[in-house]
Amino acid sequence: MPILFAVLHLLGILSLTCRASGSDSSVTTPITCTTRGADLTEEKQLVLCPPNCTLWRVSVFGSRVYAAVSSVCGAAVHQGVIRSSGGPVKVHKLQGRQNYLGSYSHGVQSQALSRWTASFTVAQSVHVPQEVSSQIATTVLPAPGPVKKTLKKPVKKMTTGGNRDCQMEIALLLDSSNNIGQRRFNLQKNFISKLAVMLKIGPNGPHVGVVQASDTPRTEFLLTNYTQPKDVVFAIKEVAYLGGNTNTGKAIMHTVESFFRTGVRRGHPRVIVVFIDGWPSDDLEDAAVLARESGINVFLVPVAKPALEELGMVRDKDYMKKAVCKDNGYFTYAIPSWFGTTKHVKPLAQKLCSVDQLLCSKTCYNSVNLGFLIDGSSSIGEGNFRLILDFITSVARSFDISDIGSRVGAVQFTYDQRMEFNMYDYPVKDDALRALQGIPYMSGGTATGDAVAYATQNLFLARKAGPGRNFLIVVTDGQSYDDVRGPALAAQKEGITIYSVGVAWAPMDDLQTMASEPKDSHTFFTREFTGLQQFQQPLVRGICRDFTEAN
C-alpha cells in the first residue's frame, strides 16, 4: 500500500509538470488523491480529482484556506466542492499564513497547523472545461433550418444577507442513534434543511452548524463553514448516519466546550437545538447546567416521545425539564412524528428568532445600557480628566458592546451638558472605547442635578429596556450647585440604576443621595484620581449583581 501511495503521488506530479508550459485555465489537469497544493505549478488552476479520495488517508490542514502541504482533493471534499465521486476543482494558490484551523466537515477531519509558507483555496468549477485530460471533444453542428428563439425564464435570486432580526449562532444537534434509524434520520435531515432556509441564514443573519449525537458526538460543520442557505442544505444532505446510543448529554457537553469555540460572533446569542427521537441514553442535567452557565440557550425538540409502556426504559423521566434553558414551556417544541413535519418548520423558526426570549444568553455583559455622566468642571484639570476617561473605558471594556448586545453612551457636564455620544452611535466595541478615550475636556462649574435629568431624558428614554438593564455611572469631584435628589429619584423611577463615584471634594451626602439602594454598594469614593481604577471590578460586579437580581 505505501508503494502504491508513492506511485500515485509521483504520477500526479508528473501530470502537472507536463502541463506546466503553455497551460490554459480552461484545461482540466487530472491529479491524484495525494496531489498537494504545493505540487501545483500555476497560481490558478483547474484540476480533476478522481473518485473515492475519502478512502485514502489524505492529509488536510486548515478550513476554507488550506496549507499547501494539504491534499487538494481532500481539501475539496472537506470544503464541499466535490463529493466522494470526484470532479473538477478550481484551485487558487495564496501566500502562507499563521493559525490554520482544524475542523470536521463532509467526512474529512482537517488538522490545525500553526503556520505554513504557502496556502490555497478550492472552489467549484464555474464552467464546463473545454478539454479534459488529452481527449479532444467534438461538437455536433445543428441541422440547417429556421433558428428558434429560446425565451429565457427570469431567474429568481435568493437573498444572501440573512435575517438581521435573527442574528444568532445556532448549533443543530441531530439524533443519529439506533433509536431513529436510517429512514427517520433522513426525514430529520429534510426537516432541518427546511428550518435552515426558513431561518434565512446569511452573513448578517443567523449562522448554523451541525453536531451529531451518537456513542461519541461528532461536529459535521461549524458556524462559519457555510453562510448561504443552499450551501447549508447541501452540507446537511451529505451528513452520514452513525447509529449507536443516544448520548445527548455528551453531545451537549461537546457542543458547549468545543463547537462554540470557533467562529462565534461577539455578543450574538448562542443556541443549541437538540433533536431527540424517543429518549436519551445518558444524563442531560450536568451538560445543561454547563450550557446555562456558559450563556447558551438549549432548545429541546422531542419527536415521538416515549409511550406509557416505554417510560420504564427512560433513564430520567424529567430529562426535558432539566435540559432546557428554562422550564417555562418556551424552550420545548414537541413534534409527534417525523412524518408530516413541514407545518412545524415556521413555528420553530419563529421561536428560535425571538431574541428577547432567549433568557440564557441574556447576561449582564451583553444586555445592559451603560450611561457615563462625566464631571468636566474646572477643579478637575486636564490630567485628572484623562484618568477619569481611563477609568470609565476600563469599565466599558468589561462588557460585550455590539448592535445586539450592550450599549454605551456618555454625557459631560459643567453648568451645561454636552452629549458626547448616545447609545446608538457606536455599536462596535472598539469604536465605543475609542470614543470614550477621545472625549475633550470642557471645564466650567458643577450642576450635577441638571446633568442627571439631562441624561435620563436623552441617554435612556429613547432606548426602552427591561428591568435592571439601564445603568448611569456618575463620576464627579465636587459639590453640586443644584439639587441632586429630585433628578436622581426621577431617574430611578424610570428604571435607571445609579452608581455614584466621587473623587477629592465630592461630598458623601450628594453621592449617597444620588445612588440607588442599597446606598453603600452603589457609592464609591477616593481621595485621589489615581484611586479610581480600584473601583473597576467592584463596579462591574455590582452591575452584574443588579442585573441578575432584576432578571
Side-chain angles (χ1 to χ4, degrees):
M1 192 73 169
I3 296 172
L4 179 59
F5 188 89
V7 170
L8 284 172
H9 182 62
L10 182 59
L11 287 173
I13 296 174
L14 287 172
S15 172
L16 292 165
T17 307
C18 291
R19 291 184 175 272
S21 58
S23 66
D24 191 287
S25 62
S26 64
V27 177
T28 304
T29 306
I31 61 174
T32 70
C33 297
T34 59
T35 302
R36 305 169 306 166
D39 299 329
L40 302 183
T41 55
E42 302 293 325
E43 182 185 350
K44 293 182 180 179
Q45 198 159 346
L46 194 61
V47 299
L48 181 65
C49 288
N52 301 321
C53 282
T54 51
L55 300 180
W56 292 84
R57 193 170 289 179
V58 293
S59 296
V60 180
F61 299 90
S63 299
R64 306 189 80 169
V65 176
Y66 301 93
V69 71
S70 304
S71 158
V72 173
C73 297
V77 174
H78 180 268
Q79 182 72 5
V81 172
I82 59 172
R83 303 187 189 186
S84 58
S85 56
V89 178
K90 196 174 182 181
V91 185
H92 184 192
K93 297 178 76 171
L94 303 169
Q95 292 181 341
R97 59 178 59 198
Q98 296 180 340
N99 298 325
Y100 295 90
L101 298 175
S103 66
Y104 185 89
S105 182
H106 297 99
V108 175
Q109 177 67 59
S110 72
Q111 301 173 59
L113 191 63
S114 59
R115 62 180 301 164
W116 198 254
T117 53
S119 312
F120 68 91
T121 59
V122 290
Q124 290 178 327
S125 174
V126 294
H127 64 281
V128 178
Q130 295 173 359
E131 183 184 329
V132 176
S133 186
S134 58
Q135 297 177 1
I136 299 172
T138 58
T139 306
V140 179
L141 295 174
V147 179
K148 289 184 179 179
K149 257 190 177 180
T150 52
L151 295 173
K152 288 186 178 178
K153 291 183 179 179
V155 179
K156 190 177 181 181
K157 291 185 178 179
M158 188 178 291
T159 54
T160 57
N163 182 3
R164 289 181 175 272
D165 295 327
C166 187
Q167 295 185 50
M168 58 183 63
E169 316 291 65
I170 303 174
L172 300 174
L173 204 162
L174 307 191
D175 188 337
S176 193
S177 66
N178 291 333
N179 277 1
I180 194 168
Q182 180 72 63
R183 185 187 182 197
R184 294 202 302 274
F185 180 76
N186 290 338
L187 293 173
Q188 177 184 219
K189 290 202 299 180
N190 290 340
F191 177 77
I192 67 165
S193 294
K194 293 174 185 174
L195 181 64
V197 173
M198 181 63 69
L199 287 169
K200 297 180 183 176
I201 62 172
N204 302 316
H207 288 182
V208 168
V210 168
V211 176
Q212 290 208 72
S214 181
D215 287 327
T216 302
R218 190 166 89 179
T219 298
E220 294 298 337
F221 57 89
L222 297 168
L223 296 164
T224 52
N225 287 146
Y226 308 102
T227 56
Q228 294 299 326
K230 60 181 178 62
D231 297 329
V232 171
V233 170
F234 174 78
I236 292 170
K237 188 177 179 182
E238 292 291 297
V239 173
Y241 173 57
L242 299 177
N245 290 317
T246 317
N247 288 335
T248 309
K250 197 173 180 180
I252 294 173
M253 193 79 75
H254 164 81
T255 307
V256 174
E257 294 179 335
S258 177
F259 178 87
F260 283 119
R261 297 294 183 199
T262 305
V264 178
R265 294 169 291 181
R266 174 183 282 173
H268 288 61
R270 292 169 294 167
V271 175
I272 304 175
V273 186
V274 182
F275 295 89
I276 298 181
D277 184 276
W279 58 90
S281 306
D282 63 348
D283 181 62
L284 306 190
E285 188 169 11
D286 289 345
V289 169
L290 179 64
R292 283 193 290 273
E293 289 177 349
S294 303
I296 298 171
N297 301 269
V298 176
F299 271 85
L300 207 63
V301 183
V303 183
K305 291 190 292 185
L308 285 175
E309 61 272 17
E310 296 174 319
L311 283 175
M313 303 166 64
V314 180
R315 180 172 175 171
D316 183 354
K317 295 175 180 60
D318 290 329
Y319 74 88
M320 284 193 282
K321 292 181 179 180
K322 294 175 180 177
V324 293
C325 164
K326 189 175 179 64
D327 181 26
N328 59 359
Y330 184 80
F331 292 90
T332 305
Y333 189 94
I335 297 177
S337 166
W338 285 115
F339 299 95
T341 56
T342 302
K343 62 185 177 184
H344 297 289
V345 173
K346 187 175 181 180
L348 180 56
Q350 289 173 336
K351 265 199 171 192
L352 294 174
C353 287
S354 299
V355 178
D356 290 338
Q357 298 290 333
L358 302 182
L359 304 177
C360 285
S361 61
K362 293 296 179 184
T363 68
C364 66
Y365 297 106
N366 64 20
S367 304
V368 298
N369 302 314
L370 301 175
F372 292 103
L373 189 56
I374 310 160
D375 188 342
S377 60
S378 304
S379 56
I380 290 176
E382 183 75 42
N384 289 332
F385 187 74
R386 293 296 130 199
L387 292 175
I388 291 176
L389 297 186
D390 289 343
F391 165 63
I392 64 174
T393 302
S394 70
V395 172
R397 189 177 286 112
S398 302
F399 294 87
D400 293 330
I401 299 166
S402 73
D403 56 344
I404 61 170
S406 291
R407 296 281 189 148
V408 173
V411 171
Q412 187 179 173
F413 70 95
T414 55
Y415 284 135
D416 297 316
Q417 306 86 36
R418 186 170 75 194
M419 176 69 72
E420 301 296 348
F421 58 92
N422 65 39
M423 300 285 182
Y424 295 95
D425 285 341
Y426 297 106
V428 177
K429 183 172 183 175
D430 289 343
D431 295 342
L433 298 181
R434 276 195 294 270
L436 285 172
Q437 284 285 351
I439 292 174
Y441 177 47
M442 286 176 68
S443 185
T446 309
T448 313
D450 283 349
V452 171
Y454 178 87
T456 301
Q457 292 294 323
N458 295 279
L459 264 185
F460 293 104
L461 289 191
R463 184 169 174 81
K464 299 296 181 183
R469 304 290 175 91
N470 286 335
F471 293 87
L472 181 64
I473 296 96
V474 183
V475 185
T476 181
D477 83 322
Q479 173 84 46
S480 176
Y481 291 105
D482 59 0
D483 173 60
V484 296
R485 182 183 299 275
L489 288 174
Q492 291 167 32
K493 191 176 288 186
E494 294 292 343
I496 299 169
T497 302
I498 298 179
Y499 279 86
S500 299
V501 182
V503 193
W505 301 280
M508 187 59 72
D509 286 348
D510 276 8
L511 297 176
Q512 292 201 328
T513 297
M514 289 187 290
S516 294
E517 295 286 351
K519 302 289 186 181
D520 288 346
S521 61
H522 289 79
T523 306
F524 299 92
F525 177 78
T526 177
R527 285 289 176 196
E528 304 294 334
F529 285 88
T530 53
L532 284 171
Q533 281 299 338
Q534 67 183 303
F535 302 140
Q536 184 262 335
Q537 286 190 359
L539 183 54
V540 171
R541 281 200 298 267
I543 291 169
C544 285
R545 181 189 59 243
D546 291 340
F547 173 85
T548 303
E549 289 176 357
N551 291 276

